[in-house]
Amino acid sequence: MNTLVRLGRGLHPAHSPRRLTVPEGMTAPLGCDAVAVPARFGPLVLPRLPRVGCVYADDAQWWWIVPSDSDYALDWPAPARYAIGAVLPDAPHIPGLIHRPDDTVPYTPPIPLYLALCRLTGTTPTWSRPVSA
């Protein structure tokens, strides 16, 4: 009798994608995306921002909540990573909340965050114009 053995290797991720959520009592009327930076950049970014929204962190990354579509016409500088819907597909766990603003809006303004990251990485900011139809 032959027994068929199927290996499911590669078919299922080791863990399901995780999503950053805003804390209870906060509203996100513009939706949420997130920008990740290596943890070493986090403390350097904070003083360069006029407003800091929700920030999540673990040993490897700091995640900044930004409004949805904050990647529109922006090329975020490496090693920053942009996460649509604040989904962290390769995170083994949800990072801890390390900063919550005093008001009810979770966003860090994306343009100052972008410019701070460009400055720290030595990247020239680039702006692209949408193509007209």
Side-chain angles (χ1 to χ4, degrees):
M1 175 179 203
N2 285 341
T3 304
L4 179 61
V5 177
R6 298 190 121 189
L7 298 177
R9 183 153 84 167
L11 296 178
H12 303 286
H15 47 78
S16 59
R18 313 253 191 245
R19 179 184 306 269
L20 296 175
T21 58
V22 298
E24 191 172 320
M26 299 195 91
T27 60
L30 303 175
C32 286
D33 288 347
V35 177
V37 300
R40 70 182 184 275
F41 286 117
L44 302 173
V45 171
L46 280 175
R48 297 174 183 261
L49 298 173
R51 179 186 194 286
V52 178
C54 289
V55 181
Y56 298 80
D58 58 24
D59 291 339
Q61 307 271 345
W62 282 33
W63 296 88
W64 307 79
I65 296 292
V66 294
S68 292
D69 299 324
S70 292
D71 61 337
Y72 184 75
L74 291 178
D75 292 323
W76 288 85
R81 294 184 345 204
Y82 193 85
I84 295 171
V87 173
L88 317 179
D90 57 353
H93 63 277
I94 297 292
L97 180 67
I98 63 166
H99 183 270
R100 176 186 173 145
D102 292 332
D103 59 19
T104 61
V105 180
Y107 307 123
T108 294
I111 299 300
L113 178 59
Y114 171 78
L115 292 173
L117 290 172
C118 285
R119 180 92 186 238
L120 289 171
T121 61
T123 303
T124 301
T126 57
W127 313 96
S128 62
R129 298 182 102 140
V131 178
S132 299

